């Protein structure tokens, strides 16, 4: 009999992990559901239709016969396209260059890489500001890194509690990284630049400030702080092509930062972490034709976001917009019979939408400060129409139970 014992061989912090779950784990998608749960771009990627159908020759150059070769490990051309996009001179006169960048498999690779780069397992900690993206804490647990929480200010601002954050960085030992999500997930609120600056200006704390800008293209023009990394040695700005660019399937993320930190991140990454097809598709999306389509699709989503903000409050049982309007999703309260935000009501509505209406959203009521809230991704005009009708029916049915 083998002496192998998984329970004593594996790391305790890994044994304690719960696998990542999404709303689609609860409901089988038969291809007819309206998926408004994962903040994807329902209008799809900015690639030509003839490429998607396998006909025609325009679009990204996919060298399928070259797939026996490893991809470019440095991706300088791709990095330069990202730099050109984010050099706006709204926050600095300096130029972003490929030396400011590390690209990886979505933003999640950068989240994990920063932990491995700066945090000693079993000793160091990170600071997060709930409600926020869950992968910061998951990655911390994987890396045996402690977690310190300073909640955002209450809705609707969901702003950084600057005095408490500064005090925590001054008094709590071994905090190496603070992760800030802007626009926030699930809040949809843009964090104030001046608040982030106050954290960066902490007089004694020796650590890294990470701003996760996954949804930045849905925020006002020039909101991205990517180029601001040239002014701060310890600022990292993460972005992804999964949201506004509609390329969640290629898993391409970027970390903008100072050249010294970028060198560290590039040194510890896997040598060929960006595949050749991913690089080709991302490069096309970041070129003139791809950007034109992305921006047009973004405007269509913003129009539907404005429509949801106007029409959701007209549905009986829908409460206040709990967060902001700087993303491709909205966080709304579901009300009980007394007119109060209710997790029980929100969960029933969430389940009824998915089980009987074919509309999948995300229940966020267990997140800090999100009592009774559903997060609804902005979809196409047709999807939004179906969502509004289904939500009206579901709330009426739940209210009659």
């Amino acid at each position: 009999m083998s002496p192998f014992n998984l329970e004593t061989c594996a790391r305790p912090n890994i044994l304690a992990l719960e696998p990542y779950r999404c709303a689609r784990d609860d409901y089988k998608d038969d291809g007819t559901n309206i998926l408004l749960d994962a903040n994807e771009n329902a209008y799809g990627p900015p690639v030509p239709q003839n490429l998607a159908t396998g006909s025609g020759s325009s679009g990204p150059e996919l060298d399928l016969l070259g797939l026996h070769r490893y991809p470019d490990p440095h991706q300088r051309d791709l990095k330069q396209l990202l730099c050109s996009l984010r050099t706006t001179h709204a926050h600095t006169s300096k130029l972003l260059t490929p030396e400011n960048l590390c690209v990886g498999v979505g933003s999640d690779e950068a989240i994990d890489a920063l932990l491995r780069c700066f945090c000693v397992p079993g000793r160091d900690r990170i600071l997060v500001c709930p409600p926020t993206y869950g992968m910061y804490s998951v990655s911390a647990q994987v890396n045996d890194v402690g977690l310190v929480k300073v909640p955002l200010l209450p809705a609707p601002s969901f702003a950084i509690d600057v005095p408490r954050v500064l005090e925590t960085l001054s008094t709590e030992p071994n905090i190496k990284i603070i992760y800030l999500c802007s626009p926030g997930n699930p809040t949809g609120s843009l964090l104030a630049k001046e608040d982030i600056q106050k954290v960066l200006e902490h007089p004694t704390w020796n650590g890294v400030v990470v701003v996760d800008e996954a949804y930045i293209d849905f925020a006002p023009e020039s909101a991205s702080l990517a180029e601001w990394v040239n002014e701060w040695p310890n600022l990292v700005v993460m972005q992804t092509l999964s949201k506004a660019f509609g390329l969640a399937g290629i898993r391409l993320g970027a970390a903008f930062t100072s050249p010294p930190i970028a060198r560290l991140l590039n040194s510890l990454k896997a040598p060929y972490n960006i595949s050749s097809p991913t690089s080709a598709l991302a490069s096309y999306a970041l070129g003139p034709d791809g950007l034109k389509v992305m921006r047009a699709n973004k405007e269509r989503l913003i129009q539907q976001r404005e429509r949801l903000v106007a029409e959701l409050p007209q549905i009986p049982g829908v409460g206040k917009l709990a967060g902001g309007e700087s993303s491709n999703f909205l966080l709304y309260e579901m009300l009980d019979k007394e007119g109060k935000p209710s997790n029980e009501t929100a969960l029933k509505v969430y389940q009824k939408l998915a089980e009987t209406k074919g509309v999948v959203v995300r229940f966020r009521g267990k997140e800090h400060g999100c009592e009774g809230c559903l997060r609804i991704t902005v979809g196409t005009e047709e999807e939004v129409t179906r969502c509004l009708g289904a939500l009206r029916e579901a709330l009426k049915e739940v209210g009659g139970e």
Side-chain angles (χ1 to χ4, degrees), residues 49-83:
Q49 183 64 29
N50 57 19
L51 177 73
T53 58
S55 61
S57 59
S58 64
E61 296 182 10
L62 295 174
D63 182 14
L64 299 182
L65 295 180
L67 292 179
H68 62 304
R69 301 296 184 192
Y70 285 110
D72 175 7
H74 306 296
Q75 299 291 334
R76 286 189 64 86
D77 292 344
L78 174 59
K79 290 177 180 178
Q80 184 56 59
L81 289 170
L82 287 161
C83 290

PDB file of all heavy atoms in Angstrom, residues 49-83:
ATOM      1  N   GLN A  49     -15.624  39.786 -39.170  1.00  0.00           N
ATOM      2  CA  GLN A  49     -16.529  38.646 -39.182  1.00  0.00           C
ATOM      3  C   GLN A  49     -15.989  37.519 -40.055  1.00  0.00           C
ATOM      4  O   GLN A  49     -16.164  36.338 -39.749  1.00  0.00           O
ATOM      5  CB  GLN A  49     -17.913  39.077 -39.688  1.00  0.00           C
ATOM      6  CG  GLN A  49     -18.958  37.981 -39.680  1.00  0.00           C
ATOM      7  CD  GLN A  49     -19.286  37.485 -38.278  1.00  0.00           C
ATOM      8  OE1 GLN A  49     -19.182  38.231 -37.320  1.00  0.00           O
ATOM      9  NE2 GLN A  49     -19.678  36.221 -38.160  1.00  0.00           N
ATOM     10  N   ASN A  50     -15.291  37.878 -41.159  1.00  0.00           N
ATOM     11  CA  ASN A  50     -14.798  36.814 -42.039  1.00  0.00           C
ATOM     12  C   ASN A  50     -13.716  35.978 -41.366  1.00  0.00           C
ATOM     13  O   ASN A  50     -13.524  34.818 -41.700  1.00  0.00           O
ATOM     14  CB  ASN A  50     -14.292  37.377 -43.372  1.00  0.00           C
ATOM     15  CG  ASN A  50     -13.188  38.418 -43.197  1.00  0.00           C
ATOM     16  OD1 ASN A  50     -12.548  38.494 -42.153  1.00  0.00           O
ATOM     17  ND2 ASN A  50     -12.967  39.216 -44.229  1.00  0.00           N
ATOM     18  N   LEU A  51     -13.007  36.577 -40.370  1.00  0.00           N
ATOM     19  CA  LEU A  51     -12.034  35.786 -39.625  1.00  0.00           C
ATOM     20  C   LEU A  51     -12.762  34.806 -38.713  1.00  0.00           C
ATOM     21  O   LEU A  51     -12.379  33.642 -38.579  1.00  0.00           O
ATOM     22  CB  LEU A  51     -11.121  36.689 -38.796  1.00  0.00           C
ATOM     23  CG  LEU A  51     -10.109  35.963 -37.921  1.00  0.00           C
ATOM     24  CD1 LEU A  51      -8.996  35.381 -38.781  1.00  0.00           C
ATOM     25  CD2 LEU A  51      -9.525  36.882 -36.865  1.00  0.00           C
ATOM     26  N   ALA A  52     -13.827  35.293 -38.074  1.00  0.00           N
ATOM     27  CA  ALA A  52     -14.580  34.444 -37.155  1.00  0.00           C
ATOM     28  C   ALA A  52     -15.214  33.254 -37.874  1.00  0.00           C
ATOM     29  O   ALA A  52     -15.366  32.176 -37.304  1.00  0.00           O
ATOM     30  CB  ALA A  52     -15.659  35.262 -36.449  1.00  0.00           C
ATOM     31  N   THR A  53     -15.565  33.441 -39.159  1.00  0.00           N
ATOM     32  CA  THR A  53     -16.214  32.362 -39.901  1.00  0.00           C
ATOM     33  C   THR A  53     -15.231  31.553 -40.730  1.00  0.00           C
ATOM     34  O   THR A  53     -15.614  30.592 -41.405  1.00  0.00           O
ATOM     35  CB  THR A  53     -17.295  32.937 -40.828  1.00  0.00           C
ATOM     36  OG1 THR A  53     -16.695  33.889 -41.724  1.00  0.00           O
ATOM     37  CG2 THR A  53     -18.386  33.626 -40.027  1.00  0.00           C
ATOM     38  N   GLY A  54     -13.958  31.978 -40.710  1.00  0.00           N
ATOM     39  CA  GLY A  54     -12.936  31.228 -41.440  1.00  0.00           C
ATOM     40  C   GLY A  54     -12.843  31.584 -42.905  1.00  0.00           C
ATOM     41  O   GLY A  54     -12.202  30.876 -43.684  1.00  0.00           O
ATOM     42  N   SER A  55     -13.485  32.673 -43.332  1.00  0.00           N
ATOM     43  CA  SER A  55     -13.421  33.081 -44.731  1.00  0.00           C
ATOM     44  C   SER A  55     -12.735  34.431 -44.850  1.00  0.00           C
ATOM     45  O   SER A  55     -12.655  35.188 -43.901  1.00  0.00           O
ATOM     46  CB  SER A  55     -14.834  33.168 -45.314  1.00  0.00           C
ATOM     47  OG  SER A  55     -15.593  34.138 -44.603  1.00  0.00           O
ATOM     48  N   GLY A  56     -12.227  34.731 -46.020  1.00  0.00           N
ATOM     49  CA  GLY A  56     -11.595  36.025 -46.227  1.00  0.00           C
ATOM     50  C   GLY A  56     -10.180  36.062 -45.695  1.00  0.00           C
ATOM     51  O   GLY A  56      -9.708  35.144 -45.024  1.00  0.00           O
ATOM     52  N   SER A  57      -9.476  37.150 -46.009  1.00  0.00           N
ATOM     53  CA  SER A  57      -8.062  37.234 -45.640  1.00  0.00           C
ATOM     54  C   SER A  57      -7.726  38.443 -44.790  1.00  0.00           C
ATOM     55  O   SER A  57      -6.603  38.563 -44.315  1.00  0.00           O
ATOM     56  CB  SER A  57      -7.196  37.261 -46.913  1.00  0.00           C
ATOM     57  OG  SER A  57      -7.561  38.370 -47.726  1.00  0.00           O
ATOM     58  N   SER A  58      -8.664  39.379 -44.604  1.00  0.00           N
ATOM     59  CA  SER A  58      -8.361  40.563 -43.802  1.00  0.00           C
ATOM     60  C   SER A  58      -8.393  40.218 -42.322  1.00  0.00           C
ATOM     61  O   SER A  58      -9.005  39.242 -41.901  1.00  0.00           O
ATOM     62  CB  SER A  58      -9.381  41.669 -44.096  1.00  0.00           C
ATOM     63  OG  SER A  58     -10.670  41.266 -43.706  1.00  0.00           O
ATOM     64  N   GLY A  59      -7.725  41.053 -41.533  1.00  0.00           N
ATOM     65  CA  GLY A  59      -7.705  40.826 -40.095  1.00  0.00           C
ATOM     66  C   GLY A  59      -6.335  40.430 -39.605  1.00  0.00           C
ATOM     67  O   GLY A  59      -5.335  40.562 -40.316  1.00  0.00           O
ATOM     68  N   PRO A  60      -6.243  39.942 -38.370  1.00  0.00           N
ATOM     69  CA  PRO A  60      -4.946  39.591 -37.790  1.00  0.00           C
ATOM     70  C   PRO A  60      -4.270  38.451 -38.548  1.00  0.00           C
ATOM     71  O   PRO A  60      -4.931  37.563 -39.085  1.00  0.00           O
ATOM     72  CB  PRO A  60      -5.299  39.170 -36.355  1.00  0.00           C
ATOM     73  CG  PRO A  60      -6.741  38.825 -36.401  1.00  0.00           C
ATOM     74  CD  PRO A  60      -7.343  39.698 -37.445  1.00  0.00           C
ATOM     75  N   GLU A  61      -2.950  38.509 -38.580  1.00  0.00           N
ATOM     76  CA  GLU A  61      -2.184  37.466 -39.259  1.00  0.00           C
ATOM     77  C   GLU A  61      -1.917  36.324 -38.284  1.00  0.00           C
ATOM     78  O   GLU A  61      -1.055  36.426 -37.412  1.00  0.00           O
ATOM     79  CB  GLU A  61      -0.874  38.042 -39.791  1.00  0.00           C
ATOM     80  CG  GLU A  61      -1.063  39.111 -40.868  1.00  0.00           C
ATOM     81  CD  GLU A  61       0.267  39.614 -41.404  1.00  0.00           C
ATOM     82  OE1 GLU A  61       1.312  39.006 -41.086  1.00  0.00           O
ATOM     83  OE2 GLU A  61       0.267  40.613 -42.134  1.00  0.00           O
ATOM     84  N   LEU A  62      -2.677  35.256 -38.417  1.00  0.00           N
ATOM     85  CA  LEU A  62      -2.513  34.084 -37.565  1.00  0.00           C
ATOM     86  C   LEU A  62      -1.658  33.060 -38.313  1.00  0.00           C
ATOM     87  O   LEU A  62      -2.132  32.405 -39.243  1.00  0.00           O
ATOM     88  CB  LEU A  62      -3.876  33.482 -37.207  1.00  0.00           C
ATOM     89  CG  LEU A  62      -4.793  34.356 -36.346  1.00  0.00           C
ATOM     90  CD1 LEU A  62      -6.156  33.705 -36.196  1.00  0.00           C
ATOM     91  CD2 LEU A  62      -4.171  34.595 -34.985  1.00  0.00           C
ATOM     92  N   ASP A  63      -0.419  32.945 -37.918  1.00  0.00           N
ATOM     93  CA  ASP A  63       0.517  32.028 -38.576  1.00  0.00           C
ATOM     94  C   ASP A  63       0.348  30.630 -37.978  1.00  0.00           C
ATOM     95  O   ASP A  63       1.125  30.189 -37.136  1.00  0.00           O
ATOM     96  CB  ASP A  63       1.949  32.526 -38.392  1.00  0.00           C
ATOM     97  CG  ASP A  63       2.964  31.635 -39.092  1.00  0.00           C
ATOM     98  OD1 ASP A  63       2.543  30.807 -39.927  1.00  0.00           O
ATOM     99  OD2 ASP A  63       4.159  31.758 -38.785  1.00  0.00           O
ATOM    100  N   LEU A  64      -0.682  29.942 -38.448  1.00  0.00           N
ATOM    101  CA  LEU A  64      -0.975  28.624 -37.886  1.00  0.00           C
ATOM    102  C   LEU A  64       0.127  27.618 -38.199  1.00  0.00           C
ATOM    103  O   LEU A  64       0.369  26.689 -37.422  1.00  0.00           O
ATOM    104  CB  LEU A  64      -2.318  28.119 -38.423  1.00  0.00           C
ATOM    105  CG  LEU A  64      -3.539  28.989 -38.082  1.00  0.00           C
ATOM    106  CD1 LEU A  64      -4.807  28.351 -38.642  1.00  0.00           C
ATOM    107  CD2 LEU A  64      -3.665  29.186 -36.577  1.00  0.00           C
ATOM    108  N   LEU A  65       0.814  27.810 -39.322  1.00  0.00           N
ATOM    109  CA  LEU A  65       1.884  26.886 -39.680  1.00  0.00           C
ATOM    110  C   LEU A  65       3.152  27.144 -38.861  1.00  0.00           C
ATOM    111  O   LEU A  65       4.093  26.351 -38.907  1.00  0.00           O
ATOM    112  CB  LEU A  65       2.201  26.984 -41.180  1.00  0.00           C
ATOM    113  CG  LEU A  65       1.069  26.547 -42.114  1.00  0.00           C
ATOM    114  CD1 LEU A  65       1.509  26.690 -43.564  1.00  0.00           C
ATOM    115  CD2 LEU A  65       0.651  25.107 -41.832  1.00  0.00           C
ATOM    116  N   GLY A  66       3.147  28.245 -38.115  1.00  0.00           N
ATOM    117  CA  GLY A  66       4.302  28.548 -37.274  1.00  0.00           C
ATOM    118  C   GLY A  66       4.123  28.146 -35.829  1.00  0.00           C
ATOM    119  O   GLY A  66       4.945  28.487 -34.974  1.00  0.00           O
ATOM    120  N   LEU A  67       3.061  27.406 -35.540  1.00  0.00           N
ATOM    121  CA  LEU A  67       2.773  27.051 -34.152  1.00  0.00           C
ATOM    122  C   LEU A  67       3.712  25.992 -33.587  1.00  0.00           C
ATOM    123  O   LEU A  67       3.639  25.687 -32.391  1.00  0.00           O
ATOM    124  CB  LEU A  67       1.320  26.578 -34.014  1.00  0.00           C
ATOM    125  CG  LEU A  67       0.252  27.669 -34.224  1.00  0.00           C
ATOM    126  CD1 LEU A  67      -1.140  27.089 -34.079  1.00  0.00           C
ATOM    127  CD2 LEU A  67       0.450  28.826 -33.253  1.00  0.00           C
ATOM    128  N   HIS A  68       4.591  25.448 -34.429  1.00  0.00           N
ATOM    129  CA  HIS A  68       5.591  24.519 -33.888  1.00  0.00           C
ATOM    130  C   HIS A  68       6.738  25.274 -33.221  1.00  0.00           C
ATOM    131  O   HIS A  68       7.589  24.664 -32.570  1.00  0.00           O
ATOM    132  CB  HIS A  68       6.141  23.615 -34.994  1.00  0.00           C
ATOM    133  CG  HIS A  68       6.855  24.338 -36.087  1.00  0.00           C
ATOM    134  ND1 HIS A  68       6.269  25.352 -36.812  1.00  0.00           N
ATOM    135  CD2 HIS A  68       8.123  24.200 -36.574  1.00  0.00           C
ATOM    136  CE1 HIS A  68       7.119  25.793 -37.706  1.00  0.00           C
ATOM    137  NE2 HIS A  68       8.267  25.126 -37.587  1.00  0.00           N
ATOM    138  N   ARG A  69       6.769  26.607 -33.401  1.00  0.00           N
ATOM    139  CA  ARG A  69       7.790  27.444 -32.771  1.00  0.00           C
ATOM    140  C   ARG A  69       7.218  28.115 -31.519  1.00  0.00           C
ATOM    141  O   ARG A  69       6.047  28.502 -31.485  1.00  0.00           O
ATOM    142  CB  ARG A  69       8.272  28.523 -33.738  1.00  0.00           C
ATOM    143  CG  ARG A  69       8.876  27.985 -35.028  1.00  0.00           C
ATOM    144  CD  ARG A  69      10.128  27.192 -34.765  1.00  0.00           C
ATOM    145  NE  ARG A  69      10.755  26.748 -36.015  1.00  0.00           N
ATOM    146  CZ  ARG A  69      11.723  25.852 -36.076  1.00  0.00           C
ATOM    147  NH1 ARG A  69      12.173  25.254 -34.964  1.00  0.00           N
ATOM    148  NH2 ARG A  69      12.245  25.509 -37.242  1.00  0.00           N
ATOM    149  N   TYR A  70       8.072  28.261 -30.510  1.00  0.00           N
ATOM    150  CA  TYR A  70       7.641  28.998 -29.318  1.00  0.00           C
ATOM    151  C   TYR A  70       7.387  30.462 -29.670  1.00  0.00           C
ATOM    152  O   TYR A  70       8.027  31.018 -30.561  1.00  0.00           O
ATOM    153  CB  TYR A  70       8.720  28.916 -28.232  1.00  0.00           C
ATOM    154  CG  TYR A  70       8.795  27.576 -27.540  1.00  0.00           C
ATOM    155  CD1 TYR A  70       9.881  26.726 -27.757  1.00  0.00           C
ATOM    156  CD2 TYR A  70       7.783  27.164 -26.688  1.00  0.00           C
ATOM    157  CE1 TYR A  70       9.958  25.491 -27.122  1.00  0.00           C
ATOM    158  CE2 TYR A  70       7.850  25.938 -26.051  1.00  0.00           C
ATOM    159  CZ  TYR A  70       8.939  25.102 -26.281  1.00  0.00           C
ATOM    160  OH  TYR A  70       8.999  23.877 -25.662  1.00  0.00           O
ATOM    161  N   PRO A  71       6.474  31.102 -28.950  1.00  0.00           N
ATOM    162  CA  PRO A  71       6.184  32.516 -29.243  1.00  0.00           C
ATOM    163  C   PRO A  71       7.284  33.445 -28.751  1.00  0.00           C
ATOM    164  O   PRO A  71       8.181  33.040 -28.001  1.00  0.00           O
ATOM    165  CB  PRO A  71       4.879  32.756 -28.477  1.00  0.00           C
ATOM    166  CG  PRO A  71       4.925  31.791 -27.343  1.00  0.00           C
ATOM    167  CD  PRO A  71       5.613  30.564 -27.885  1.00  0.00           C
ATOM    168  N   ASP A  72       7.188  34.688 -29.176  1.00  0.00           N
ATOM    169  CA  ASP A  72       8.121  35.724 -28.740  1.00  0.00           C
ATOM    170  C   ASP A  72       8.034  35.875 -27.218  1.00  0.00           C
ATOM    171  O   ASP A  72       6.960  36.173 -26.692  1.00  0.00           O
ATOM    172  CB  ASP A  72       7.741  37.036 -29.433  1.00  0.00           C
ATOM    173  CG  ASP A  72       8.572  38.227 -28.964  1.00  0.00           C
ATOM    174  OD1 ASP A  72       9.535  38.028 -28.201  1.00  0.00           O
ATOM    175  OD2 ASP A  72       8.231  39.359 -29.366  1.00  0.00           O
ATOM    176  N   PRO A  73       9.126  35.698 -26.488  1.00  0.00           N
ATOM    177  CA  PRO A  73       9.051  35.797 -25.023  1.00  0.00           C
ATOM    178  C   PRO A  73       8.983  37.228 -24.508  1.00  0.00           C
ATOM    179  O   PRO A  73       8.666  37.443 -23.340  1.00  0.00           O
ATOM    180  CB  PRO A  73      10.351  35.114 -24.568  1.00  0.00           C
ATOM    181  CG  PRO A  73      11.299  35.334 -25.696  1.00  0.00           C
ATOM    182  CD  PRO A  73      10.471  35.288 -26.948  1.00  0.00           C
ATOM    183  N   HIS A  74       9.271  38.209 -25.368  1.00  0.00           N
ATOM    184  CA  HIS A  74       9.357  39.600 -24.895  1.00  0.00           C
ATOM    185  C   HIS A  74       8.164  40.460 -25.316  1.00  0.00           C
ATOM    186  O   HIS A  74       7.800  41.397 -24.605  1.00  0.00           O
ATOM    187  CB  HIS A  74      10.654  40.237 -25.410  1.00  0.00           C
ATOM    188  CG  HIS A  74      11.885  39.460 -25.066  1.00  0.00           C
ATOM    189  ND1 HIS A  74      12.292  39.262 -23.758  1.00  0.00           N
ATOM    190  CD2 HIS A  74      12.772  38.802 -25.859  1.00  0.00           C
ATOM    191  CE1 HIS A  74      13.397  38.529 -23.752  1.00  0.00           C
ATOM    192  NE2 HIS A  74      13.705  38.229 -25.007  1.00  0.00           N
ATOM    193  N   GLN A  75       7.588  40.190 -26.464  1.00  0.00           N
ATOM    194  CA  GLN A  75       6.370  40.871 -26.929  1.00  0.00           C
ATOM    195  C   GLN A  75       6.519  42.392 -26.970  1.00  0.00           C
ATOM    196  O   GLN A  75       5.599  43.136 -26.591  1.00  0.00           O
ATOM    197  CB  GLN A  75       5.172  40.471 -26.042  1.00  0.00           C
ATOM    198  CG  GLN A  75       4.837  39.002 -26.042  1.00  0.00           C
ATOM    199  CD  GLN A  75       4.277  38.509 -27.377  1.00  0.00           C
ATOM    200  OE1 GLN A  75       3.694  39.281 -28.135  1.00  0.00           O
ATOM    201  NE2 GLN A  75       4.474  37.238 -27.659  1.00  0.00           N
ATOM    202  N   ARG A  76       7.643  42.880 -27.462  1.00  0.00           N
ATOM    203  CA  ARG A  76       7.864  44.328 -27.486  1.00  0.00           C
ATOM    204  C   ARG A  76       6.865  45.057 -28.388  1.00  0.00           C
ATOM    205  O   ARG A  76       6.393  46.151 -28.045  1.00  0.00           O
ATOM    206  CB  ARG A  76       9.297  44.640 -27.923  1.00  0.00           C
ATOM    207  CG  ARG A  76      10.340  44.354 -26.849  1.00  0.00           C
ATOM    208  CD  ARG A  76      11.705  44.896 -27.265  1.00  0.00           C
ATOM    209  NE  ARG A  76      11.681  46.355 -27.392  1.00  0.00           N
ATOM    210  CZ  ARG A  76      11.885  47.185 -26.383  1.00  0.00           C
ATOM    211  NH1 ARG A  76      12.111  46.725 -25.163  1.00  0.00           N
ATOM    212  NH2 ARG A  76      11.851  48.486 -26.584  1.00  0.00           N
ATOM    213  N   ASP A  77       6.556  44.485 -29.547  1.00  0.00           N
ATOM    214  CA  ASP A  77       5.612  45.155 -30.449  1.00  0.00           C
ATOM    215  C   ASP A  77       4.234  45.274 -29.812  1.00  0.00           C
ATOM    216  O   ASP A  77       3.576  46.320 -29.904  1.00  0.00           O
ATOM    217  CB  ASP A  77       5.522  44.393 -31.774  1.00  0.00           C
ATOM    218  CG  ASP A  77       6.808  44.468 -32.586  1.00  0.00           C
ATOM    219  OD1 ASP A  77       7.653  45.348 -32.287  1.00  0.00           O
ATOM    220  OD2 ASP A  77       6.973  43.635 -33.504  1.00  0.00           O
ATOM    221  N   LEU A  78       3.786  44.206 -29.173  1.00  0.00           N
ATOM    222  CA  LEU A  78       2.498  44.237 -28.479  1.00  0.00           C
ATOM    223  C   LEU A  78       2.534  45.248 -27.339  1.00  0.00           C
ATOM    224  O   LEU A  78       1.592  46.032 -27.147  1.00  0.00           O
ATOM    225  CB  LEU A  78       2.164  42.842 -27.949  1.00  0.00           C
ATOM    226  CG  LEU A  78       0.913  42.714 -27.071  1.00  0.00           C
ATOM    227  CD1 LEU A  78      -0.323  43.176 -27.813  1.00  0.00           C
ATOM    228  CD2 LEU A  78       0.746  41.270 -26.597  1.00  0.00           C
ATOM    229  N   LYS A  79       3.611  45.261 -26.604  1.00  0.00           N
ATOM    230  CA  LYS A  79       3.753  46.229 -25.505  1.00  0.00           C
ATOM    231  C   LYS A  79       3.718  47.658 -26.013  1.00  0.00           C
ATOM    232  O   LYS A  79       3.125  48.546 -25.376  1.00  0.00           O
ATOM    233  CB  LYS A  79       5.046  45.962 -24.742  1.00  0.00           C
ATOM    234  CG  LYS A  79       5.048  44.690 -23.918  1.00  0.00           C
ATOM    235  CD  LYS A  79       6.399  44.463 -23.262  1.00  0.00           C
ATOM    236  CE  LYS A  79       6.427  43.187 -22.429  1.00  0.00           C
ATOM    237  NZ  LYS A  79       7.762  42.943 -21.828  1.00  0.00           N
ATOM    238  N   GLN A  80       4.334  47.901 -27.165  1.00  0.00           N
ATOM    239  CA  GLN A  80       4.340  49.261 -27.701  1.00  0.00           C
ATOM    240  C   GLN A  80       2.932  49.713 -28.081  1.00  0.00           C
ATOM    241  O   GLN A  80       2.565  50.879 -27.888  1.00  0.00           O
ATOM    242  CB  GLN A  80       5.260  49.354 -28.916  1.00  0.00           C
ATOM    243  CG  GLN A  80       5.405  50.772 -29.472  1.00  0.00           C
ATOM    244  CD  GLN A  80       5.883  51.768 -28.431  1.00  0.00           C
ATOM    245  OE1 GLN A  80       6.955  51.605 -27.848  1.00  0.00           O
ATOM    246  NE2 GLN A  80       5.085  52.798 -28.167  1.00  0.00           N
ATOM    247  N   LEU A  81       2.136  48.803 -28.609  1.00  0.00           N
ATOM    248  CA  LEU A  81       0.747  49.154 -28.918  1.00  0.00           C
ATOM    249  C   LEU A  81      -0.013  49.533 -27.647  1.00  0.00           C
ATOM    250  O   LEU A  81      -0.800  50.490 -27.641  1.00  0.00           O
ATOM    251  CB  LEU A  81       0.058  47.971 -29.613  1.00  0.00           C
ATOM    252  CG  LEU A  81       0.507  47.673 -31.042  1.00  0.00           C
ATOM    253  CD1 LEU A  81      -0.069  46.342 -31.513  1.00  0.00           C
ATOM    254  CD2 LEU A  81       0.075  48.794 -31.986  1.00  0.00           C
ATOM    255  N   LEU A  82       0.200  48.800 -26.565  1.00  0.00           N
ATOM    256  CA  LEU A  82      -0.445  49.130 -25.285  1.00  0.00           C
ATOM    257  C   LEU A  82       0.039  50.479 -24.775  1.00  0.00           C
ATOM    258  O   LEU A  82      -0.751  51.288 -24.261  1.00  0.00           O
ATOM    259  CB  LEU A  82      -0.157  48.032 -24.261  1.00  0.00           C
ATOM    260  CG  LEU A  82      -0.893  46.705 -24.476  1.00  0.00           C
ATOM    261  CD1 LEU A  82      -0.210  45.573 -23.720  1.00  0.00           C
ATOM    262  CD2 LEU A  82      -2.347  46.831 -24.042  1.00  0.00           C
ATOM    263  N   CYS A  83       1.327  50.747 -24.917  1.00  0.00           N
ATOM    264  CA  CYS A  83       1.882  52.029 -24.478  1.00  0.00           C
ATOM    265  C   CYS A  83       1.291  53.190 -25.280  1.00  0.00           C
ATOM    266  O   CYS A  83       0.949  54.235 -24.722  1.00  0.00           O
ATOM    267  CB  CYS A  83       3.396  52.027 -24.621  1.00  0.00           C
ATOM    268  SG  CYS A  83       4.256  50.954 -23.466  1.00  0.00           S
TER     269      CYS A  83
END
